[in-house]
Amino acid sequence: MNLIGGYRKNFEDFPIYYRTFSKVVQLKGTVAYLSDPTPSNYYHWMCATLPLIRFYEKFFNIKEIDFFYIGQCNLCDFHLESLAKLHISGDRIVQADCTAEKMIAAISSRFLPRFNDPISEEAYLFTRNLFQDDSALSSHRRKRIYVTRGNVTRRKLINESEVINLLTSYGFETIQMDNKTIKEQAEIFSQAEAVVALHGAALSNLLFVPSGVKVLELFPHGYVNNCYYAMAGYAKADYYYLQGDKISQSYTDPHYFDTYINIPKLKAICQKATL
């Protein structure tokens, strides 16, 4: 029950400490905790949860950890692909509530009063380096990409067709990240000279951009988040953001707002960024 390196929240405040289980699986060997409140989200996994492995590597031999508990989330291809990079096979992943002969836990706290809690530079470098071979810069022509949100039911870009029309005139191609492997996403972003995207998990792939890339993040009216600004800083990118116009919303939480982008403002930013 020793907490190593914690500084944002008391251990007693985490679910792993106070939550009780009605049924647990008894395992032999060592289990490492590899979860957070939302491990099924691509950003949270790549930027907060997966980098916890670096603590286990520091204090333990990864090969001697028998199981990794990731919680009762939807197990996605990106979980398996990223863990495979660390030579952690699917049969070492545990999702059921469990106990074991030895249990160790590195925990990511995402709660910081009055601020979002962006990825640390150490965590950024851990995940970036893990996929460095996949995202190695090539001699391919640099691309300008607009990343669409794809098939979503909320946090939509209302006038996306207008945005795409304008960006196309600046040489952007529209790309969707749905159903792409981490390797494929890393290759796309590593070849980008400019990225425009609505705030969302696809921008987690700023992990793989080259230095000097231009990034324009779009937000709904009344909402900003600094997580991708921080990542752009680590990448030495040229970062801009644009908030949408105020529109009628069905949600009360700005995090879930749809976005309507003012096209003249978008054009002005493109010109300012010399796109």
Side-chain angles (χ1 to χ4, degrees), residues 192-212:
E193 69 172 16
V195 177
V196 178
L198 191 64
H199 175 78
L203 277 173
S204 306
N205 294 301
L206 292 179
L207 285 161
F208 311 117
V209 295
S211 62

Side-chain angles (χ1 to χ4, degrees), residues 31-35 44-63 65 67-70 79 82-89 92-93 104-108 122-123 126-127 130-131:
V31 175
Y33 184 82
L34 190 61
S35 190
H44 297 165
W45 175 260
M46 296 288 283
C47 299
T49 309
L50 184 66
L52 294 177
I53 293 285
R54 72 189 191 278
F55 295 112
Y56 298 133
E57 288 182 334
K58 181 177 181 180
F59 293 102
F60 303 93
N61 183 336
I62 291 293
K63 294 180 180 179
I65 297 177
F67 303 100
F68 291 84
Y69 171 84
I70 70 169
H79 293 120
S82 55
L83 290 174
K85 277 286 188 179
L86 293 155
H87 307 290
I88 298 172
S89 57
R92 295 170 68 190
I93 298 172
I104 53 179
I107 301 169
S108 171
E122 285 184 356
F126 176 87
T127 304
L130 188 62
F131 290 91

Side-chain angles (χ1 to χ4, degrees), residues 101-272:
E101 295 170 327
K102 185 176 184 179
M103 304 186 75
I104 53 179
I107 301 169
S108 171
S109 169
R110 300 182 59 249
F111 302 95
L112 192 61
R114 297 180 290 109
F115 293 97
N116 299 303
D117 191 8
I119 184 175
S120 69
E121 188 169 12
E122 285 184 356
Y124 170 88
L125 291 173
F126 176 87
T127 304
R128 179 181 174 90
N129 291 337
L130 188 62
F131 290 91
Q132 191 63 53
D133 291 342
D134 296 337
S135 62
L137 299 182
S138 68
S139 59
H140 292 145
R141 177 180 63 86
R142 296 289 174 257
K143 299 179 180 179
R144 298 180 176 188
I145 59 173
Y146 166 69
V147 185
T148 180
R149 285 267 293 159
N151 299 318
V152 294
T153 58
R154 62 185 183 186
R155 292 169 57 193
K156 295 180 290 186
L157 181 54
I158 300 299
N159 61 329
E160 185 170 54
S161 60
E162 295 179 71
V163 169
I164 290 175
N165 286 339
L166 176 66
L167 293 177
T168 299
S169 70
Y170 283 90
F172 281 80
E173 60 180 275
T174 300
I175 295 178
Q176 187 171 309
M177 294 295 110
D178 292 357
N179 301 318
K180 286 184 172 58
T181 65
I182 300 174
K183 179 179 180 179
E184 290 170 337
Q185 295 180 66
E187 288 175 344
I188 289 170
F189 273 72
S190 72
Q191 295 169 14
E193 69 172 16
V195 177
V196 178
L198 191 64
H199 175 78
L203 277 173
S204 306
N205 294 301
L206 292 179
L207 285 161
F208 311 117
V209 295
S211 62
V213 65
K214 297 178 187 293
V215 177
L216 172 55
E217 184 174 7
L218 307 177
F219 289 105
H221 178 82
Y223 179 78
V224 291
N225 185 304
N226 65 356
C227 61
Y228 298 122
Y229 169 74
M231 293 176 68
Y234 302 145
K236 296 179 174 58
D238 190 10
Y239 177 91
Y240 302 81
Y241 78 93
L242 174 62
Q243 280 190 314
D245 288 352
K246 187 175 183 179
I247 57 174
S248 177
Q249 301 280 356
S250 58
Y251 292 95
T252 56
D253 185 348
H255 177 66
Y256 299 115
F257 280 0
D258 292 332
T259 303
Y260 184 91
I261 290 296
N262 183 300
I263 298 302
K265 287 183 180 179
L266 177 59
K267 183 176 182 179
I269 285 189
C270 289
Q271 293 173 342
K272 182 178 179 61

Side-chain angles (χ1 to χ4, degrees), residues 13-30:
D13 294 329
F14 282 98
I16 191 176
Y17 180 88
Y18 64 76
R19 182 183 162 210
T20 58
F21 305 112
S22 59
K23 182 179 180 181
V24 296
V25 176
Q26 178 71 47
L27 299 173
K28 291 184 178 180
T30 300

